[in-house]
Amino acid sequence: MATLLFSSISLVFLAVISLNIFITFAHGGSIGVNYGRIAGDLPSAFKVVKLLKSQGIERVKVYDTDPAVLRSLSGTGIKVTVNLPNELLYAASRKQSFAYGWIRRNVVAYYPHTQIESIAVGNEVFVDPKNTTGFLIPAMRNIHQALVKYKLDSGIKLSSPVALSALQNSYPSSAGSFRPELIEQVFKPMFEFLRETGSYLMVNAYPFFAYESNSDVISLDYSLFRENPGVPDAGNGLRYFSLFDAQIDAVFAAMSALKYDDIPLVVSETGWPSKGDENEIEASVENAAAYNGNLIKRVLTGGGTPLRPKANLTVFLFALFNENKKTGPESERNYGLFYPNMQKVYNIPFTLEDLKNFRDESYPVAGGGDGGAVVRDSTPVRRGGDGSGQSWCVAKDVGTDKLQSGLDYACGEGGADCRPIQPGSTCYDPNTLKAHASFAYNSYYQKMGRAAGACYFDGSAYVVTEPPKFGKCEFPTGY
């Protein structure tokens, strides 16, 4: 059966795909943080910048244009997203002169020493109780014209962060659609603008909110990027292994429905609270560390979403600090990665180098019924090995149809490097379907950064911590 692998795909074409996927995953995505300041006990901007640099954080998003903050970021090489607040949308939309002055004072005065890379025009405008939606597009166009005036339009992009509540439907992901009343008024002109200017859509995505409201039908493992068998989407034929991916693909589906599937997406906010009110289930230090740590691993090791696998993501975590003056439930004051004294709330990596020592300490070894929507795979992770902390993905003894299907996916759409299992290559022997599938599964698993859910293949694969042995073939442990 293994010799049927390339019945419909040429070796040359697959080699090209494998090379392209390798390059994509090798570079990975990018992590930034949101620097909110609704607090009375935060350190100075100068100390904050030292903290960012000490952690290897190369992107920051702020909610205003505070001079102290922008001056402190000058010369650091940290890329900055600034914000035109909702309360200024009206003035920016009505007067071009206002837009000129705002750009001159808040961008030109600092650029390029402060590396402002984008401007968020407004924030979650559609849920603003002051009803500023109608001002958004005119404000974006006026601000862009001001960038053109100062010859900054090629280096600085404009967008506007959108909450997931702008979606009419988000489940399943393939049914993603925008609220009808916003399509003609906002989204179509916004997407035209983003396309014209080569910009991207900013989206604020919080799996915590979806889990909190639907914990009876959503698995916590699925929400925290932990190992789970995934949730199939009959509409697009894909399987989702994280709620985050499902949410982002719902936005991509909504964009595609309007014929704007060429526009990139940046996740401008996401996070998980380390503390909450009694009714805010699973708001804990342990879960916040798992969500943010596993998300960072997933982003930095590359790869997009199931719907757009080659679209490496830029993701801004919310938030840098706990903010004690925020109103609302307890969770609102406890999204911080750091306490105001600059000590970590929990340990997570921020760079590829840090990932070498990262491990989700509460990662479940095996399944267990908790009433979630996902039925877990009961196959345990094998223990033992050489103590290196490495893991591999291998095929189970299941039917040939499942193995062949998984093998075809891994070497085709999945972009695994399957050249070593071709006739005459180093891992062709033993020439069995299980051995070839195991090599292909592991290649895909390693290129996905050993992410949760990357070793499933419709239940035909599982993770081991001892090096697999198939003849003399050596299985790679990373790319």
Side-chain angles (χ1 to χ4, degrees):
M1 295 291 292
T3 57
L4 299 177
L5 172 61
F6 298 114
S7 59
S8 61
I9 306 175
S10 72
L11 284 171
V12 174
F13 180 65
L14 247 182
V16 173
I17 290 178
S18 297
L19 178 61
N20 286 339
I21 294 294
F22 173 83
I23 293 171
T24 299
F25 285 122
H27 285 84
S30 176
I31 290 291
V33 294
N34 283 277
Y35 175 19
R37 294 182 295 113
I38 306 178
D41 52 358
L42 297 183
S44 68
F46 176 75
K47 290 181 178 179
V48 170
V49 170
K50 289 185 68 175
L51 175 65
L52 294 172
K53 291 184 68 66
S54 72
Q55 299 299 316
I57 297 171
E58 298 178 344
R59 277 190 161 90
V60 66
K61 177 170 161 280
V62 295
Y63 291 89
D64 52 23
T65 52
D66 184 86
V69 172
L70 295 182
R71 281 196 296 267
S72 295
L73 287 162
S74 177
T76 63
I78 296 173
K79 294 179 173 62
V80 185
T81 297
V82 298
N83 178 239
L84 175 81
N86 287 355
E87 54 266 27
L88 297 183
L89 287 175
Y90 175 81
S93 70
R94 288 295 185 263
K95 294 183 179 181
Q96 184 65 67
S97 60
F98 177 88
Y100 287 154
W102 191 88
I103 288 294
R104 185 178 62 254
R105 291 188 303 274
N106 299 295
V107 177
V108 176
Y110 305 99
Y111 187 87
H113 299 292
T114 298
Q115 291 190 20
I116 299 171
E117 65 173 343
S118 60
I119 301 171
V121 180
N123 185 58
E124 298 189 346
V125 172
F126 313 141
V127 295
D128 186 347
K130 296 183 180 178
N131 192 25
T132 53
T133 299
F135 310 135
L136 178 59
I137 304 304
M140 292 179 75
R141 292 201 173 275
N142 284 347
I143 292 294
H144 180 258
Q145 188 57 42
L147 289 176
V148 171
K149 173 182 172 67
Y150 292 105
K151 297 181 172 56
L152 299 178
D153 54 301
S154 62
I156 299 176
K157 301 301 181 185
L158 292 182
S159 189
S160 184
V162 174
L164 284 184
S165 57
L167 293 178
Q168 176 81 1
N169 296 304
S170 60
Y171 179 83
S173 296
S174 57
S177 62
F178 293 113
R179 284 161 42 191
E181 70 273 17
L182 295 175
I183 291 176
E184 296 296 333
Q185 180 186 7
V186 181
F187 279 113
K188 282 189 176 181
M190 179 192 288
F191 292 149
E192 284 295 327
F193 173 82
L194 297 178
R195 180 181 281 169
E196 290 169 10
T197 59
S199 190
Y200 42 79
L201 179 66
M202 291 179 174
V203 174
N204 296 345
Y206 286 90
F208 171 73
F209 295 144
Y211 174 78
E212 180 189 27
S213 302
N214 302 277
S215 59
D216 56 332
V217 294
I218 296 179
S219 159
L220 183 60
D221 290 346
Y222 181 65
S223 305
L224 298 178
F225 298 92
R226 290 174 174 161
E227 195 73 30
N228 66 89
V231 176
D233 185 329
N236 57 23
L238 299 171
R239 180 177 292 269
Y240 288 88
F241 295 99
S242 74
L243 182 53
F244 173 87
D245 279 350
Q247 289 183 334
I248 299 306
D249 271 0
V251 179
F252 278 140
M255 296 168 71
S256 294
L258 300 180
K259 310 300 183 187
Y260 292 99
D261 53 2
D262 57 317
I263 296 173
L265 181 151
V266 164
V267 180
S268 40
E269 285 185 21
T270 190
W272 196 283
S274 60
K275 185 179 180 182
D277 292 325
E278 186 175 342
N279 64 332
E280 293 185 290
I281 60 172
E282 304 297 353
S284 68
V285 168
E286 176 185 90
N287 290 337
Y291 178 81
N292 284 319
N294 288 329
L295 171 62
I296 291 171
K297 179 179 179 180
R298 175 242 188 281
V299 170
L300 292 184
T301 52
T305 64
L307 193 60
R308 295 194 183 179
K310 296 183 181 180
N312 284 324
L313 294 173
T314 294
V315 175
F316 288 84
L317 302 178
F318 186 87
L320 188 57
F321 295 109
N322 284 338
E323 298 174 74
N324 63 3
K325 289 190 175 181
K326 296 195 76 172
T327 58
E330 184 66 21
S331 62
E332 285 295 311
R333 294 173 288 282
N334 289 280
Y335 274 91
L337 304 171
F338 294 86
Y339 293 109
N341 64 4
M342 298 194 294
Q343 295 299 307
K344 285 186 175 182
V345 178
Y346 41 81
N347 287 313
I348 57 171
F350 292 107
T351 66
L352 281 170
E353 183 66 25
D354 292 342
L355 279 177
K356 295 177 181 178
N357 301 314
F358 170 70
R359 183 181 178 187
D360 178 359
E361 296 296 340
S362 54
Y363 197 101
V365 174
D370 67 352
V374 177
V375 180
R376 291 173 173 76
D377 186 348
S378 61
T379 304
V381 175
R382 291 183 181 176
R383 297 297 179 185
D386 57 8
S388 66
Q390 296 286 1
S391 60
W392 296 261
C393 180
V394 296
K396 293 180 181 179
D397 288 312
V398 296
T400 56
D401 288 347
K402 269 194 175 183
L403 287 180
Q404 188 67 56
S405 176
L407 181 60
D408 290 343
Y409 172 82
C411 293
E413 184 180 347
D417 183 0
C418 295
R419 289 169 292 183
I421 56 177
Q422 299 315 303
S425 294
T426 54
C427 291
Y428 179 70
D429 291 320
N431 180 22
T432 67
L433 181 57
K434 183 180 178 183
H436 287 190
S438 293
F439 186 91
Y441 288 1
N442 183 66
S443 175
Y444 176 83
Y445 175 67
Q446 300 298 335
K447 287 181 178 179
M448 291 296 288
R450 300 185 290 278
C455 182
Y456 183 70
F457 295 96
D458 198 23
S460 67
Y462 64 107
V463 175
V464 297
T465 56
E466 296 177 351
K469 296 188 182 299
F470 289 93
K472 296 180 180 180
C473 180
E474 294 185 5
F475 279 40
T477 57
Y479 291 83

